[in-house]
Amino acid sequence: MSDIVVFGAGGTAGSRIAVEAFNRGHRVVAAVRRPEATSYLPAGIRVVTGDATSERSVRELAPAADALVVAIGGGDHSLWSDAVRALLGALRDMPAAPRVIHVGGGATLLTPAGTRLLDEPDFPAQYRDAALGQAAALDLYRSSADGVSWTYLSPPPLEFHPGERTGRYRTGTDHPVVDAEGRSVLSYEDLAVAVVDEIERPRHQNMRFTAGY
């Protein structure tokens, strides 16, 4: 049993991660900006006010945790890099600091030619701001996370929706995981499975990975 803090547990990904971890016997703290909006979470999940972009908030919640999950969304493109800076600032010198599992963006994955999907000419303009924000967060982990154990999980870049929990998926590193038809697909429910599996059996420490069917 692990103690897991989920920042963004009121969102589509975070709520599923919190429930998946709780259902597997872990002690879960849902850290959200508006606790009153999380009444749908199981009663056994403790809900607290928390903000991944606040170093003070991270310092308050991290000492009792084995893992911090960052599954935040909304806001402008600086949201995710602000969160990484707060996390690294709080955890870098903390004895026995928890691992960080960051649910990132699929647009940072690479094409067969080795370029980022977000840099392709036909990348949708409406998603560019968020994609650049998640790319900046990944760059910060890779360049500035000395002494902090982190994992960045990219979902499929396009076909990533609420759906069925199958409990199965395949993993890759920097390129989308595709099926026999060339599609990269995953449900939010199975993303949650992949996150909790990574907490229980670490396989991607200090690196990015992705998942798909």
Side-chain angles (χ1 to χ4, degrees):
M1 180 185 293
S2 294
D3 291 288
I4 301 171
V5 174
V6 181
F7 286 101
T12 306
S15 60
R16 286 162 171 79
I17 294 166
V19 170
E20 176 72 22
F22 176 75
N23 287 343
R24 286 161 66 166
H26 299 289
R27 290 181 291 264
V28 179
V29 173
V32 296
R33 292 182 176 181
R34 295 175 54 241
E36 68 276 7
T38 58
S39 58
Y40 52 86
L41 292 175
I45 293 178
R46 184 164 69 93
V47 179
V48 301
T49 302
D51 181 357
T53 67
S54 165
E55 187 171 331
R56 177 179 178 181
S57 184
V58 175
R59 287 186 182 277
E60 290 174 349
L61 293 169
D66 299 303
L68 302 179
V69 176
V70 180
I72 58 176
D76 60 30
H77 73 277
S78 67
L79 174 74
W80 296 281
S81 53
D82 287 346
V84 178
R85 291 188 183 95
L87 288 157
L88 299 183
L91 301 180
R92 186 170 280 119
D93 299 318
M94 183 178 293
R99 290 183 66 201
V100 176
I101 313 293
H102 183 114
V103 178
T108 59
L109 292 166
L110 305 182
T111 69
T115 58
R116 299 184 304 181
L117 291 166
L118 68 90
D119 295 323
E120 291 296 288
D122 59 350
F123 187 81
Q126 66 267 35
Y127 302 131
R128 183 170 297 280
D129 195 53
L132 290 171
Q134 287 283 20
L138 178 57
D139 288 343
L140 279 172
Y141 282 118
R142 286 172 166 169
S143 65
S144 308
D146 292 344
V148 176
S149 178
W150 62 273
T151 298
Y152 184 107
L153 172 54
S154 287
L158 293 176
E159 297 189 68
F160 177 49
H161 309 287
E164 181 185 0
R165 181 196 185 281
T166 70
R168 61 175 181 82
Y169 59 89
R170 295 177 295 131
T171 61
T173 52
D174 289 325
H175 293 83
V177 174
V178 298
D179 61 19
E181 299 177 351
R183 298 171 59 201
S184 181
V185 184
L186 191 70
S187 69
Y188 274 92
E189 287 74 9
D190 282 329
L191 177 92
V193 174
V195 169
V196 181
D197 283 351
E198 180 65 26
I199 293 171
E200 293 179 347
R201 298 181 298 279
R203 295 191 298 151
H204 302 95
Q205 290 182 283
N206 300 332
M207 63 182 293
R208 182 257 291 281
F209 80 106
T210 185
Y213 296 128

